[in-house]
Amino acid sequence: QVQLVESGGGMVQAGGSLRLSCEASGTFSSIMGMAWYRQSPGDQRELVAEITRSSAINYADSVKGRFTISRDNRERTVYLQMNTLKPEDTAVYYCNADIRRTPWGKTREYWGQGTQVTVSS
């Protein structure tokens, strides 16, 4: 069974940094796109950053210049380095990945369980 397991969330003061990690576990052929989303209470889940298998990257305007997404294909892990954090970055952060279970199969979307990030002013 394929799972995405996140770690690295927590509480930090404004201006601080956190690094999130998400590792894919289980048996599968390959991981295509990977991404981080976030959701605050009462808001819709929004894309924070995404990275393709060839490392093409896209960021939400609100985090450009502060957050950095990266991936290690050998370790099957995606990271989100978050610097200069603001109170408005407070949310549950979710890892997302499109994974191909077999070399000839279609990709399927998977989600992590979420990790809380709280930024105090």
Side-chain angles (χ1 to χ4, degrees):
Q1 184 175 354
V2 177
Q3 286 187 313
L4 299 178
V5 180
E6 298 134 338
S7 60
M11 183 177 293
V12 66
Q13 288 189 329
S17 299
L18 285 173
R19 189 190 195 210
L20 305 182
S21 300
C22 171
E23 180 179 2
S25 64
T27 302
F28 52 86
S29 175
S30 59
I31 305 175
M32 307 311 286
M34 304 185 83
W36 289 96
Y37 286 75
R38 67 186 180 187
Q39 187 169 21
S40 302
D43 291 340
Q44 289 188 329
R45 191 171 296 188
E46 64 174 359
L47 176 68
V48 176
E50 58 186 346
I51 182 169
T52 68
R53 184 168 177 81
S54 58
S55 295
I57 290 172
N58 179 48
Y59 293 103
D61 288 342
S62 59
V63 307
K64 283 181 180 177
R66 301 188 298 121
F67 290 11
T68 302
I69 190 171
S70 61
R71 64 187 285 173
D72 184 328
N73 289 330
R74 185 166 53 185
E75 297 297 325
R76 309 196 293 185
T77 301
V78 63
Y79 305 95
L80 186 67
Q81 177 66 44
M82 304 185 293
N83 297 328
T84 319
L85 282 159
K86 304 175 180 180
E88 51 264 43
D89 294 318
T90 295
V92 177
Y93 284 69
Y94 296 91
C95 176
N96 171 277
D98 291 322
I99 295 177
R100 181 172 285 128
R101 297 287 299 273
T102 62
W104 55 87
K106 296 180 180 180
T107 59
R108 176 185 166 185
E109 185 178 47
Y110 291 86
W111 290 91
Q113 79 284 358
T115 184
Q116 177 70 45
V117 171
T118 302
V119 184
S120 61
S121 57

